[in-house]
Amino acid sequence: LDQIPTVGPSGNWIYHIAGAVKTFFYGYRMIQEGYEMYRIFKIPRYCSWLVLLNGPEYLEDIRKAGAQLSFPEALNKAGQFDYTISPGLREDVIHLNVVRGSMTRNIASRFPDLVDETDKALESLLDGATQDWVVIPCYLSVVHIISRISARFFAGPKLSSNKTYTGIMQSYAFHLIKGGFFISLFPSFLKAFVGRAIFDSQGRIRKVENFLRPILNERLEKGIDENCDAESNDMITWLWNGSPEAQQNLHDIAIRMIYLNVAAIHTTANLLTHVLLSLAAYTSYIEPLREEISSAVEREGWTKSAIEQMRKLDSFVKESQRLYGGDAAMIVRLAMTDFRFSDGTFIPKGTSLAVTGRAINQDEASFIYHGRPILLMYSLVLKRYYPNPQEFQGFRFVDKDPLKWQMTSLNSQFVTYGIGRHACPGRFFAVTEVKTVVARLLMEYDIRLTDNEGVRPADQWCTGIFVAPNKKATISLRRRSRLP
Ligand code: HEM
């Protein structure tokens, strides 16, 4: 990797360790610095490098490379899924097909459940309070809401109201991140032992099986097929019907449910927290959003179609994600073979790669012309994707082509959901879910920051690369008059 420029201390191993420590605290600053200087660069990590890519031609190379630059292997390396969930999950695409197919197809038919669970979750946060402002911790409350909705959509009302079940699903991801990091420090021959000793994935899976068993048995007795009744139309049924016979068993279903919950809960909770903090800080957006929500609901009722028509809300959600929610490095990949990019740059097998996500999402001009000053001037005239990129403009995307700029669109200037065949298959559900929660909340409650009116609580960096909304921030909610 010598031919790839380094950002941060470089030289012998002592410098490398110093660089890795710097990455751990300030990786996001180093990546921004690299983004402004190079189209490809590397930053030090403890025992390796992370190569950062910056430019649409590299995105295209990643897309075309397929399994040579592998997403599942990169994910497995980070989360040590072989030891924290189950070996072999990364080669298996059954649950991906189910998310892309049955789950996404059923968002409209299951929409009433989404609304009902949203209302129940919001209600439980206010705990019977009537007209007074109630202070709630923003992030924890959002995790509670999203876990309930995911449980309802994935497994039905019995489990969405069961705090032990939603608690297990919430905490799995936290434990997995910590456990995965710890296991990754050990050599391969010790990983299985360490995994069993510290993580106990089998014990955790058994707990989930105990919750799913009675539901699955009841369905098997009734008959579990594509034409099931509305009550059984959920992830358990979709996974069962989407699996070959050999994998139609409780254990496999439980593992996939865990994996999908890990993928779904905290990503969506982070996004919703960013949106609520933005709403509470920039309250002038609330009335225009309420007007849009009311008129869409008047036309369509509370349906998925009404949610899709809420363009201002879509833009507000996207702007919150663009400005606050982007990790410094996204679209992680692991080179499974030696690889040469289309510009001739070579990386050896085993190299970890990522894209300069946050810097792209906040670039003033199109990064297409990055590093070529004359064309950059041209791009400033013609391609100002994010004028004043550091300013929160909630309706920035309202008048833009929805095919390219609505929240679910994949776009090389907004890389939140990744690219190519691994682009997030759950994004249609996630966006419907977030917009629905915000729409119901705005129609039912007033919202404001508890402290420092108008000053959005600062986000937090984790391991220098991942950003999370401020976990200590609180918001205040107050009930308005009842919904029609
Ligand atoms: C706002 C919420 C979400 C965000 C920001 C998000 C983001 C992402 C990203 C960045 C990837 C990797 C794409 C790549 O590197 O090319 C991904 C993959 C994935 N996401 Fe999401 N996601 C969200 C919600 C969800 C939900 C609700 C589900 C539901 C099950 C889900 C399921 C998945 C799955 C299964 C993958 C793996 C895809 C594969 O291996 O091909 N995600 N997501």
Side-chain angles (χ1 to χ4, degrees):
L1 295 176
D2 288 350
Q3 84 287 8
I4 297 179
T6 302
V7 174
S10 65
N12 62 27
W13 66 270
I14 298 177
Y15 283 98
H16 189 102
I17 297 286
V21 172
K22 188 171 174 191
T23 300
F24 187 82
F25 290 105
Y26 300 113
Y28 60 102
R29 289 191 195 157
M30 293 156 75
I31 292 173
Q32 182 64 38
E33 187 186 326
Y35 179 79
E36 284 161 18
M37 284 161 49
Y38 309 111
R39 297 179 59 252
I40 181 165
F41 58 97
K42 62 183 189 296
I43 58 172
R45 291 202 299 191
Y46 283 108
C47 300
S48 60
W49 295 98
L50 177 65
V51 172
L52 274 308
L53 305 167
N54 164 23
E57 60 279 31
Y58 288 123
L59 287 174
E60 191 54 18
D61 288 346
I62 293 178
R63 207 180 55 73
K64 284 189 187 150
Q68 262 184 299
L69 301 180
S70 170
F71 169 67
E73 295 294 343
L75 205 61
N76 191 49
K77 191 175 169 191
Q80 298 288 319
F81 286 177
D82 282 354
Y83 312 102
T84 52
I85 304 186
S86 174
L89 202 59
R90 65 185 183 281
E91 284 122 35
D92 195 326
V93 292
I94 289 168
H95 45 280
L96 301 184
N97 292 338
V98 168
V99 174
R100 287 189 192 111
S102 306
M103 176 176 165
T104 304
R105 261 200 317 276
N106 276 296
I107 298 174
S109 63
R110 293 288 315 279
F111 191 79
D113 295 284
L114 214 163
V115 171
D116 182 54
E117 200 61 44
T118 300
D119 291 350
K120 286 189 171 130
L122 287 171
E123 195 68 35
S124 70
L125 288 177
L126 267 85
D127 207 14
T130 49
Q131 298 300 323
D132 298 329
W133 286 102
V134 176
V135 178
I136 56 167
C138 191
Y139 179 74
L140 284 181
S141 307
V142 165
V143 171
H144 165 81
I145 298 170
I146 296 296
S147 316
R148 280 191 70 146
I149 297 176
S150 304
R152 176 76 174 262
F153 206 78
F154 287 11
K158 277 189 197 138
L159 293 190
S160 63
S161 54
N162 186 314
K163 283 190 180 151
T164 316
Y165 174 80
T166 52
I168 292 175
M169 288 306 194
Q170 270 170 35
S171 59
Y172 208 103
F174 283 130
H175 293 303
L176 182 146
I177 292 165
K178 282 192 227 143
F181 175 73
F182 189 69
I183 296 167
S184 73
L185 302 176
F186 288 83
S188 300
F189 71 95
L190 279 178
K191 284 180 196 267
F193 170 74
V194 178
R196 269 197 304 276
I198 67 145
F199 193 76
D200 186 24
S201 60
Q202 290 310 313
R204 291 171 197 273
I205 294 167
R206 264 197 304 279
K207 283 188 192 158
V208 174
E209 283 174 7
N210 290 340
F211 282 105
L212 300 184
R213 183 176 296 108
I215 300 176
L216 184 60
N217 285 346
E218 197 181 302
R219 290 194 193 168
L220 288 172
E221 270 170 35
K222 269 198 315 208
I224 183 169
D225 60 32
E226 297 294 345
N227 306 317
C228 59
D229 53 31
E231 225 175 80
S232 309
N233 189 22
D234 62 22
M235 188 63 84
I236 301 178
T237 299
W238 304 328
L239 284 173
W240 185 272
N241 290 322
S243 302
E245 221 175 302
Q247 287 164 29
Q248 285 182 329
N249 59 68
L250 179 64
H251 184 70
D252 275 58
I253 301 289
I255 287 170
R256 294 182 201 287
M257 288 284 276
I258 290 171
Y259 177 78
L260 293 178
N261 272 285
V262 166
I265 293 180
H266 295 280
T267 45
T268 314
N270 276 358
L271 172 61
L272 180 57
T273 311
H274 284 301
V275 175
L276 294 189
L277 290 177
S278 303
L279 268 177
Y282 313 126
T283 45
S284 63
Y285 286 97
I286 290 179
E287 277 317 312
L289 286 171
R290 279 186 180 141
E291 277 163 29
E292 181 187 67
I293 296 163
S294 294
S295 65
V297 171
E298 236 165 67
R299 283 193 306 273
E300 302 281 338
W302 280 99
T303 56
K304 174 172 175 273
S305 157
I307 295 291
E308 278 162 2
Q309 290 176 26
M310 296 173 192
R311 293 286 310 279
K312 286 183 178 160
L313 180 54
D314 197 88
S315 172
F316 192 92
V317 171
K318 183 161 182 152
E319 179 69 347
S320 302
Q321 175 69 14
R322 183 193 73 78
L323 192 54
Y324 304 116
D327 295 328
M330 297 180 197
I331 311 185
V332 289
R333 298 292 185 264
L334 185 67
M336 303 309 290
T337 58
D338 289 352
F339 186 82
R340 201 171 282 285
F341 287 100
S342 53
D343 67 351
T345 308
F346 171 83
I347 50 161
K349 179 179 172 181
T351 304
S352 294
L353 308 168
V355 170
T356 51
R358 190 177 185 88
I360 291 172
N361 286 359
Q362 297 182 6
D363 196 349
E364 176 153 28
S366 161
F367 72 111
I368 290 172
Y369 300 108
H370 193 93
R372 298 178 210 163
I374 296 171
L375 287 172
L376 182 65
M377 279 167 62
Y378 168 76
S379 77
L380 284 175
V381 180
L382 286 182
K383 292 189 178 290
R384 289 172 60 94
Y385 285 106
Y386 302 116
N388 303 322
Q390 295 307 322
E391 189 180 287
F392 183 86
Q393 296 178 8
F395 297 154
R396 189 185 280 277
F397 301 103
V398 172
D399 296 324
K400 292 196 168 207
D401 177 5
L403 280 181
K404 205 168 170 213
W405 291 104
Q406 71 189 0
M407 183 59 188
T408 47
S409 304
L410 299 178
N411 176 337
S412 59
Q413 278 85 41
F414 183 78
V415 290
T416 289
Y417 297 115
I419 44 159
R421 72 193 174 100
H422 292 294
C424 177
R427 65 189 188 279
F428 302 99
F429 175 68
V431 173
T432 309
E433 185 182 13
V434 168
K435 286 173 74 179
T436 304
V437 174
V438 176
R440 295 297 284 189
L441 186 145
L442 279 183
M443 297 315 284
E444 184 88 342
Y445 304 97
D446 290 320
I447 177 171
R448 69 176 190 199
L449 286 178
T450 312
D451 309 308
N452 295 335
E453 199 180 319
V455 183
R456 195 182 182 281
D459 300 317
Q460 297 170 334
W461 285 97
C462 173
T463 69
I465 289 191
F466 303 105
V467 72
N470 192 309
K471 302 250 163 80
K472 290 190 184 139
T474 57
I475 52 171
S476 302
L477 298 181
R478 181 177 61 183
R479 201 181 297 280
R480 300 172 75 221
S481 50
R482 307 261 353 137
L483 286 168

